[in-house]
């Protein structure tokens, strides 16, 4: 399956993950819309299936992954390192639960929180949490 990621400001790269987990870039695109159309086509759809102006509310799986990747890049810039990752993940899950209760499934707020949960879950899986490792080590 193909995805797109924001590879730098104003540039989105389409590609896929190899079986070993390594990112294999396919093409650089000048807009998110162009990357989304390319991903739709690469995954067997027709480019016209993606509306020219994408709204967060119209996400499909591939687009959701792209948004999560953007969120991870921003989070790594704002919060480098891997301390307090698990705590942040639990906090995001709580915010998602609150958004579901207040706004209902499918709302913009729920989608925003779900992206943050997915981003933090990936960071925990990939980077770990140095605070949890330290606490475990201190326990013996």
């Amino acid at each position: 399956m193909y995805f797109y990621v924001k590879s730098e400001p104003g540039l989105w790269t389409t590609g896929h993950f190899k079986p070993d987990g390594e990112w294999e870039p396919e093409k650089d695109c000048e807009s998110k819309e162009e990357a989304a159309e390319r991903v739709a086509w690469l995954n067997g759809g027709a480019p016209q299936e993606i509306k020219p102006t994408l709204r967060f509310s119209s996400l499909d799986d591939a687009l959701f992954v792209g948004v999560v990747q953007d969120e991870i890049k921003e989070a790594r810039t704002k919060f480098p390192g891997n301390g307090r990752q698990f705590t942040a993940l639990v906090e995001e899950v709580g915010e998602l639960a609150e958004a579901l209760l207040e706004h209902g499934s499918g709302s913009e707020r729920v989608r925003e929180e779900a992206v943050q949960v997915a981003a933090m879950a990936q960071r925990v899986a990939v980077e770990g949490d140095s605070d949890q490792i330290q606490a475990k080590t201190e326990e013996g």
Side-chain angles (χ1 to χ4, degrees):
M1 174 167 267
Y2 285 86
F3 305 96
Y4 70 90
V5 295
K6 187 173 183 180
S7 45
E8 58 186 70
L11 185 68
W12 288 261
T13 303
T14 60
H16 65 92
F17 291 97
K18 295 178 180 180
D20 65 1
E22 182 183 345
W23 173 252
E24 178 69 32
E26 187 267 336
K27 180 183 179 186
D28 289 331
C29 300
E30 294 181 9
S31 72
K32 193 175 203 175
E33 290 80 10
E34 178 188 357
E37 285 187 17
R38 180 86 180 152
V39 164
W41 179 77
L42 288 166
N43 287 326
Q48 57 269 28
E49 291 176 358
I50 302 294
K51 296 177 184 167
T53 54
L54 293 174
R55 298 184 55 202
F56 193 64
S57 60
S58 66
L59 289 178
D60 64 15
D61 290 345
L63 295 178
F64 181 81
V65 170
V67 173
V68 170
Q69 294 303 313
D70 290 348
E71 178 71 22
I72 291 169
K73 284 184 181 187
E74 287 181 34
R76 284 180 176 148
T77 300
K78 283 173 80 173
F79 307 105
N82 70 342
R84 302 182 54 95
Q85 300 275 53
F86 181 71
T87 302
L89 173 60
V90 171
E91 178 183 333
E92 294 300 341
V93 169
E95 290 174 8
L96 174 59
E98 187 176 285
L100 275 165
L101 291 171
E102 290 180 11
H103 304 285
S105 181
S107 72
E108 186 78 12
R109 182 77 176 132
V110 167
R111 286 185 183 92
E112 290 170 0
E113 294 300 335
V115 165
Q116 293 175 359
V117 168
M120 286 311 305
Q122 183 170 331
R123 287 193 73 185
V124 168
V126 172
E127 302 168 26
D129 184 325
S130 60
D131 292 338
Q132 295 298 322
I133 294 167
Q134 182 179 355
K136 189 76 169 164
T137 305
E138 290 172 0
E139 287 177 7

